[in-house]
Amino acid sequence: MPRISEPTVAQHRARQLRTLLDAGRALVAEEGPERLSLAALARRVGLSRPSLYEYFRSRDDLVAAIVEDELPRWAAAVEQALAGPADLVAKVEAYVRAQLEMMTDGRHAAAVALAEHALAEPARERIRDGHAQLLRPLVTALADGGVPDPQLRAALVQGIVDAAARAAQRQAADPETIVRTAVAQAVHGLATVDTAGAGNAPVT
């Protein structure tokens, strides 16, 4: 039996897994998602590559594990953000702001980068399941507010968030302008945009 650093094998494996996930996240943040591999992770933590197969079957499995590890904390932060505001518009704004803050401040940079990286379908399916956790508070808020098709509407709001995050990463505008524009688009669409000859009529 290999030497263990905890009272039980299960505790040792849990601690080792935490070390590997943290090291993988740091590697992505420092060198980019394309540099993440089992070999690179093994070098970083001082383990043999075969040892990593006890925890991850492939690079895709490692990627999915890092993202899955991050998403529950991310989802909890989003849920907490939506718990405060009372009205629906404020809840949507809270969702957009909370998501953009986490996607652009570096705390979840590895998860964001890896989730967008090319993966085989089994790993992508695991990540999609995790992303559903992020949408759940918004879906609930929309449904409680009487908004039709809340699941679809929530997914469309998330699409706006994703586009806004990419704009922020490109520094297309100052961060607060991007947030305000994303919130306005998510809540009002083009209702407040004075397009040529259209006045302020909402697009339906």
Side-chain angles (χ1 to χ4, degrees):
M1 177 180 292
R3 292 180 59 189
I4 63 174
S5 57
E6 299 294 334
T8 68
V9 173
Q11 289 173 314
H12 170 78
R13 286 184 58 82
R15 179 171 184 145
Q16 187 72 284
L17 178 60
R18 167 53 46 209
T19 298
L20 293 172
L21 292 174
D22 289 346
R25 188 162 31 245
L27 194 157
V28 171
E30 294 168 14
E31 303 183 31
E34 67 283 348
R35 298 298 298 273
L36 181 67
S37 67
L38 293 181
L41 181 59
R43 288 193 298 272
R44 193 177 186 95
V45 299
L47 292 176
S48 67
R49 182 170 173 175
S51 297
L52 294 191
Y53 287 124
E54 297 181 25
Y55 300 89
F56 314 109
R57 296 183 299 275
S58 65
R59 179 189 183 278
D60 279 4
D61 192 32
L62 168 60
V63 168
I66 291 174
V67 176
E68 285 177 325
D69 181 60
E70 195 70 45
L71 285 173
R73 289 189 292 274
W74 191 337
V78 170
E79 187 168 5
Q80 183 177 8
L82 268 68
D87 65 280
L88 180 58
V89 170
K91 285 182 181 295
V92 173
E93 178 173 358
Y95 179 86
V96 173
R97 285 186 176 276
Q99 285 275 46
L100 285 176
E101 285 174 6
M102 288 185 287
M103 293 174 76
T104 58
D105 74 354
R107 283 181 293 171
H108 304 274
V112 172
L114 290 171
E116 296 178 350
H117 214 56
L119 296 172
E121 184 55 31
R124 294 206 68 80
E125 183 65 29
R126 288 168 61 183
I127 291 173
R128 279 196 295 270
D129 289 345
H131 277 165
Q133 299 177 45
L134 301 180
L135 283 180
R136 206 165 290 141
L138 181 59
V139 172
T140 299
L142 293 173
D144 291 347
V147 176
D149 302 315
Q151 189 77 43
L152 175 59
R153 298 290 183 111
L156 294 175
V157 170
Q158 183 61 46
I160 292 172
V161 170
D162 293 340
R166 289 192 292 272
Q169 289 159 4
R170 297 195 309 271
Q171 297 182 331
D174 69 272
E176 182 56 30
T177 295
I178 291 173
V179 170
R180 286 200 312 268
T181 304
V183 169
Q185 185 65 27
V187 174
H188 303 295
L190 299 180
T192 59
V193 177
D194 188 7
T195 56
N200 290 332
V203 176
T204 57

